[in-house]
Amino acid sequence: MNFKPWNLSFLVALSVSGSAAFAQTPQKSIELERYSEARASLLRQGQSAESSFELGRLYQMRDMPDSAAYYFNRISLDPKNPMTMVAAGRAALAQGKAAEAQVQFDNAVKASKGKDAKVYTMIAQAYGESDLNDASKGLTYVDAAHKLNKNKDDAALMIARGDIYAKSESGGGEAMNSYERALLADPKSAQASYRKGELNVRSRNYNDARTAFEQAISIDANYAPAYNALAETYFYAGKYDDALSTFQKYQGVAEKSPGTDAKYASFLFLTKKYPEALVEVDKVLARDPQNVTMNRLKAYSLFETGKNAEALTAMETYMKVQPADKLITEDYVYYGKMLSKAGRSDEGTAAIQKAIAADPKKAAELQNELAASYMLAKNYPAAIKAYQAKMKADGTPELTDQIRLAVAYGGNKQYDKADSLYNAVLVARPTYVPGYLMRAKANYYMDPESKQGLAKPHYEKYIEMAKTDPTKYKDGLVEANSYLGYYYYQKGDKAAAAPYYKEVLVLDPANENANSVIKSMQAPAKAPAKAAPKKK
């Protein structure tokens, strides 16, 4: 999870010149991710040191390090003004020059004679907002500021401390402690609550995350990042309706921009509302045809809506303009599925194998996609191997994996192995209604003439389980009753067969086979032909 502190509230007090309103408004816009609004406001201020500093931050928040460094470096060094050296240090950090940055930060401390807690806080914030994986150096400036504050917690400093700790996998505890101290210092800090929520998401404590994000919103009803994060939290928790409705609230308070629309399109895709996602994707592309994410999402969404030919065209167009080293794992997976569905199975499996090679950590997960590609190509032995590899890597196979492997065995005409797996699934989950139908089919294929009746007990069990919802299981019930009707009919027991065929007609009145059999059973028996009279 990428932690990006948006707020620099302490700079309101630090401002070297200009009104408090100026110092606060662009910062608040940046914090609320209203980047276009903040940029316009800052550009109207001319090339002052303060506006250049905030523009540098703005571009850093947008992951545009070269632009960030440009604006930080636009501030002329002034040996009497520590902020100018902090800006130079931030420019160096933006470009990954940690040693050079530290020199500038130490110069800023010297210029303030080491007696200004706000300078130390600015430097700590710089480390917190940087992309450094190890920002531990920033903690020395945190400690120095804290001592100058007479060990009294300052909200901005504690947030900076939390942001620095949050960069390390083992720093979550100290980061959470820091944000809680920030809230004690300033109970109205929406940012501190928001940060707590981010940490809870990272540790998958979704209930606590939701509480923290809701607290941020209660403090500031326009706190757009909290709505966005809350929507994502609902998504991670599988509450897709809540996720979508919350994201729509985010739209209501977020900046109106192609970026916001792109987020909405992405969220619709994630919540499996693919047609709606396509509408939003096209809106963004109409204004920004080269938007990489939206071009990718268009191909994905077309595939998910069953428009494979269009999806393949869109995907190949996207892959021509996106550098190969920028392609993500999912690109290869989707491309593989599209190719396989288009009948180009060898190319499809090759694409998915490329995804596995590019992302070994996802190898086990991607075996399912590889197996699905083999299944489309009806290469059942290869699919079986892929599913087996996935299950072996998992250790304890999931029921869905067992079902997929059973289907592959069925495709390979290894019906006994398929039956064994279906049985294992039903032992583990006796209420899984479709499993009884699957097992019945496997047994039918082992006894296609129905002479042994291997499928009979399984179809009977399926009817028992499925009759509670005949609408949902209509097709399966038609199949089960048709089989049992035929089983008794071919044995000559028409009385036993009739109720099953009649049940088929209740479910499907136009069923030709059932109508034909019922009519044949109701037709009167033909009288024996009379012998021709003998001629006298």
Side-chain angles (χ1 to χ4, degrees):
M1 186 172 179
N2 189 20
F3 284 81
K4 286 272 187 187
W6 306 121
N7 193 22
L8 277 175
S9 57
F10 62 90
L11 280 180
V12 176
L14 269 180
S15 179
V16 177
S17 64
S19 68
F22 163 78
Q24 193 171 23
T25 301
Q27 292 169 23
K28 191 65 177 178
S29 295
I30 293 172
E31 180 182 344
L32 298 180
E33 300 180 9
R34 304 182 75 88
Y35 299 129
S36 296
E37 179 182 293
R39 183 175 180 275
S41 176
L42 290 164
L43 289 175
R44 285 195 297 268
Q45 305 300 320
Q47 296 191 25
S48 69
E50 290 75 20
S51 63
S52 294
F53 192 95
E54 290 303 309
L55 282 165
R57 285 189 57 247
L58 184 152
Y59 282 104
Q60 194 165 18
M61 299 305 103
R62 295 179 62 190
D63 292 319
M64 300 171 71
D66 291 339
S67 296
Y70 167 79
Y71 282 104
F72 285 130
N73 281 328
R74 197 167 71 169
I75 301 171
S76 299
L77 284 172
D78 179 353
K80 296 181 180 180
N81 188 342
M83 187 268 279
T84 65
M85 299 166 207
V86 173
R90 290 194 68 138
L93 281 184
Q95 296 179 315
K97 301 173 182 177
E100 183 179 323
Q102 188 176 329
V103 170
Q104 294 293 349
F105 292 146
D106 288 341
N107 287 339
V109 170
K110 290 175 185 176
S112 65
K113 298 180 180 180
K115 296 181 180 180
D116 192 338
K118 294 171 185 175
V119 172
Y120 284 112
T121 303
M122 288 180 73
I123 298 169
Q125 191 78 38
Y127 278 104
E129 289 190 341
S130 76
D131 288 331
L132 286 181
N133 290 328
D134 180 12
S136 56
K137 179 63 181 175
L139 293 173
T140 62
Y141 298 98
V142 172
D143 293 340
H146 194 54
K147 288 178 183 177
L148 288 171
N149 286 334
K150 298 180 180 179
N151 294 325
K152 182 180 178 180
D153 286 344
D154 170 77
L157 180 62
M158 288 301 102
I159 289 172
R161 182 179 188 270
D163 294 341
I164 292 169
Y165 271 114
K167 290 178 180 297
S168 67
E169 288 298 322
S170 60
E174 282 296 330
M176 184 65 75
N177 174 264
S178 300
Y179 300 138
E180 287 173 348
R181 287 166 64 180
L183 280 168
L184 287 173
D186 179 9
K188 294 296 183 182
S189 174
Q191 187 194 24
S193 292
Y194 173 60
R195 282 290 182 275
K196 285 180 63 178
E198 286 192 303
L199 274 178
N200 281 312
V201 168
R202 190 168 81 174
S203 59
R204 299 184 182 181
N205 294 325
Y206 297 126
N207 286 334
D208 289 344
R210 185 190 67 212
T211 299
F213 292 137
E214 288 175 345
Q215 183 181 1
I217 292 167
S218 71
I219 293 170
D220 183 351
N222 294 315
Y223 206 87
Y227 287 100
N228 184 21
L230 181 58
E232 291 179 357
T233 301
Y234 279 128
F235 173 78
Y236 293 138
K239 298 180 178 180
Y240 300 128
D241 290 340
D242 289 337
L244 193 56
S245 65
T246 304
F247 196 89
Q248 287 164 343
K249 291 177 184 176
Y250 164 74
Q251 275 196 302
V253 297
E255 183 174 57
K256 301 295 183 286
S257 69
T260 304
D261 291 340
K263 278 187 179 181
Y264 185 44
S266 300
F267 215 85
L268 286 166
F269 177 84
L270 289 172
T271 51
K272 303 185 187 299
K273 296 188 180 296
Y274 304 118
E276 295 89 338
L278 272 172
V279 171
E280 297 300 321
V281 166
D282 286 338
K283 283 183 186 178
V284 177
L285 290 177
R287 290 174 289 173
D288 183 11
Q290 301 305 312
N291 187 296
V292 172
T293 302
M294 291 298 99
N295 275 290
R296 170 190 287 136
L297 207 59
K298 181 168 186 174
Y300 289 10
S301 298
L302 284 166
F303 176 81
E304 296 292 355
T305 52
K307 299 175 181 177
N308 192 61
E310 293 176 56
L312 190 53
T313 299
M315 194 69 191
E316 290 179 337
T317 299
Y318 155 72
M319 293 179 81
K320 285 177 183 175
V321 298
Q322 177 76 323
D325 62 340
K326 299 292 184 182
L327 293 174
I328 62 175
T329 303
E330 286 74 14
D331 291 340
Y332 290 112
V333 173
Y334 265 100
Y335 189 41
K337 292 194 287 189
M338 292 171 192
L339 289 166
S340 296
K341 200 168 184 180
R344 296 159 62 183
S345 56
D346 289 345
E347 294 173 77
T349 53
I352 296 173
Q353 286 169 334
K354 189 175 288 187
I356 294 172
D359 194 351
K361 291 182 180 179
K362 289 187 177 180
E365 176 186 339
L366 292 175
Q367 289 296 332
N368 276 341
E369 300 294 353
L370 182 61
S373 179
Y374 284 131
M375 290 292 286
L376 281 170
K378 297 184 178 180
N379 186 348
Y380 301 116
I384 289 168
K385 288 182 180 178
Y387 283 132
Q388 288 174 331
K390 164 70 163 54
M391 292 167 69
K392 183 178 180 180
D394 287 346
T396 302
E398 297 180 4
L399 296 183
T400 51
D401 291 333
Q402 290 179 286
I403 291 170
R404 290 183 182 123
L405 179 56
V407 172
Y409 275 130
N412 206 41
K413 299 183 179 180
Q414 293 175 273
Y415 303 118
D416 56 336
K417 291 189 175 182
D419 176 58
S420 178
L421 281 169
Y422 290 134
N423 179 53
V425 168
L426 292 169
V427 168
R429 189 176 297 175
T431 58
Y432 182 57
V433 178
Y436 295 98
L437 186 64
M438 294 172 183
R439 192 170 187 203
K441 288 175 184 284
N443 279 272
Y444 168 76
Y445 286 117
M446 287 190 284
D447 177 28
E449 298 298 323
S450 303
K451 291 181 179 179
Q452 301 176 63
L454 296 183
K456 179 176 176 290
H458 306 297
Y459 276 124
E460 289 173 336
K461 184 64 176 179
Y462 176 77
I463 291 173
E464 176 191 333
M465 300 293 291
K467 66 183 179 182
T468 56
D469 194 346
T471 302
K472 180 179 179 179
Y473 299 115
K474 174 187 169 183
D475 291 345
L477 285 168
V478 167
E479 178 183 327
N481 280 284
S482 295
Y483 170 87
L484 291 167
Y486 173 76
Y487 172 78
Y488 285 110
Y489 186 84
Q490 56 95 26
K491 286 187 172 295
D493 191 345
K494 295 181 180 179
Y500 291 108
Y501 282 116
K502 288 178 181 177
E503 183 61 24
V504 170
L505 292 176
V506 169
L507 295 161
D508 180 13
N511 189 285
E512 292 183 7
N513 181 60
N515 274 306
S516 175
V517 174
I518 291 291
K519 286 178 182 177
S520 72
M521 288 194 293
Q522 291 174 342
K526 291 182 180 180
K530 292 183 180 179
K534 293 180 181 179
K535 291 183 180 180
K536 292 183 179 178

